[in-house]
Amino acid sequence: MNSEIMRQYLPFMPDWTPYLMYGILFLAVAVVCWMGKVKLNNYNFTLGELLKETRMAFKYHKKEIKERFLSYIIAQKKVRRMKLSGFMHMCIFYSMILLFLGTFLVFLEQDILKNFGIESLIKGKFYLIYEVVLDLSGLLLIFGLMIALYRRLVAKPAYLRSNWESYVILGSFLYIALTGFVLEGIRLALQPVPWGIYSFVGFGLSHLFTPLSQYTLGMTYVSIWWSHLVAVMALFVILPLTVLKHIALIPLNLVLLPFDQAKAKMTTPFKVTEMEELAEDNELKIGLSNVEDLSWKQRVNLAACINCGRCDSVCPAYASGRELSPRAIVQKLKSTYDKFNIQTEGFFSSGLITENEVWSCTNCGACVEECPAMINHVDYIIDLRRYLVAENRLEQQKTAVFSNLDQNYNAFGLPSYKRNDWLEELGVPLLEQHRNAEYLYYIGDAGAYDPRAQQVVKSFVKILQAAEVDFAIMSHQERNEGEIAKRMGEEGRFQLIAMENIATFEFYDVKKIITHDPHSFNMLKNEYPEFGGHYEVIHHTVLIHQLLEQNRLPVTTKKLEKVVFHDPCNLSRWNSIVDEPRQALSHVLDTPLLEIEQSKDRSFCCGAGGGNYWYKVPEQEKISTLRLRQLTSVNPQTIAVACPYCLMMMEDAVRTSELTVKVRDLAELVYDAMEYR
């Protein structure tokens, strides 16, 4: 009896059905292959290049690829960052995998193994489990699709864009799932079997169909079966033309993305030491100006975009009413090559992308962190800026910053010879006199010149002195680390600054660097190694945490104060430093640290990043004001920060509000709690 438990293959269908079915399948495959060839041409690479690249990736980075697939494809790490849409996508994703496997098993059994005389696989207890799993998967798929339709038709989040393509795809999947159950119900109505209950959805539907005649049910079954097949084939055929191509392109992105590169490291389009040679060979092209400037890897990367709008939902520039939409930038770039015709007109000259869009970005990386397609929006925006800089399409505020870097070695444009003179009053040793110091304390522009940031430096210096840390500073020899130039698209100027700084560090045999500026921290740690600058770079929050854990600081009083911590983008999101600042604050607070949703790797930018501190961008509301509203939603008395630019931006936001909340650097809070001050 057990061996008889199985399902008939293509019941009620004419004998010629498999021939027509596979004829349609082969036609669909041919159409998809033809469209795929067009796409390969538009993506500007050959199949041979792709195979070579993927083969090399698997050869040298098999472990990393496996980890990426497990994390981002199987576990859906990025997708799960949004609860409702994440749950929706997992319902659809996992159910489709199970339904595909179920269909593949039937194909394997009936069209492959059967021809070799191998007996049925899907029978007995396995068949019963098979039916239960497929019915559950079908219900899960329908549930996920209903959530998707609810979000687009009812909830309508501002960042989500719906069009005919979205509804055609969702409607087609829903039709396939529903007709699958209807076919199952008709089959069980025409051929009732004792084990039919295991196909529980179809079994329930079969009771609705039993009053109908067998002829009516048979004709209905045939009609629906063909419509079901056509819907499946139609979805397969339009796969290269719609967002469905992300099914192939996102996994491909996981293989093509760099492996031996820090998340925070930006692209290096050229080396200034090689510019003369590149110019002679006519190979020097700076930035993105048209579709021809996009490499094939960039084209594949952009084409994976599913237009989900998650990047917009977390973008501070978008929230502030600036012209920038990360989603739109990606969609517009890929529109120039992702159809059948390539648009060769320039991005800016055609009006496809505006300068305001490009300069609105704060480089906070929230879009990059959120994107399930692994697109680095910031890299593209920096490349677009590089083109504008190369073409000298800059207004006075931006050119003034570059002039200040050239003439005074700082973005403030203040005399470099007075950079750190004020610190000598504190008895801070100079590196010139204390060449064997364990640490160089790199002050940075804000700490050197801004009066409010100087207070942070003083507190941190006293902490270092109290803990007897062996450190020194550079006097007027310290220069801007080049972050502003890099982020604003002046790549050549950044590289010259970096190489000059590295030469100075080498002269003094610098091995370890402390800085309280996350922007400086990020550059020294992630960008300088490419030019020979290899250092152990420590952010002041991490060092303070270490000193507190080692009981090297005389902290005896704890503040009964409600404090919320604002995570700097360059520290938390780009460099994954989120625990140390909180643990350091726990040493000096008598109450738990307040937390908000937009924290840690989901922190919201203060508005100063990407050079935005130095120029104005049209906006409806200041980004710093938006951030202040988020931070004060938990009614803190103090906002703790760990970045001089965050400090200045948040204090400015407080001044223009009616709030009395204080803004203080973590170093100041720790210093206030020390016994001997």
Side-chain angles (χ1 to χ4, degrees), residues 326-337:
R327 178 198 61 81
I329 285 280
V330 170
Q331 287 291 313
K332 287 189 285 190
L333 286 175
K334 76 178 231 177
S335 72
T336 61
Y337 66 88

Side-chain angles (χ1 to χ4, degrees), residues 6-13 110 127 187 191 221:
M6 61 178 64
R7 187 176 69 182
Q8 184 182 348
Y9 180 57
L10 298 179
F12 326 123
M13 300 299 295
Q110 296 294 331
Y127 171 71
R187 174 172 58 82
Q191 287 183 341
Y221 184 94

Side-chain angles (χ1 to χ4, degrees), residues 491-518:
E491 179 67 26
R493 184 175 272 106
F494 155 70
Q495 291 187 23
L496 292 173
I497 290 171
M499 288 188 288
E500 288 175 0
N501 283 334
I502 290 169
T504 303
F505 295 158
E506 285 182 355
F507 179 77
Y508 289 110
D509 197 27
V510 172
K511 294 290 190 295
K512 299 180 181 179
I513 302 176
I514 310 167
T515 180
H516 67 277
D517 185 346

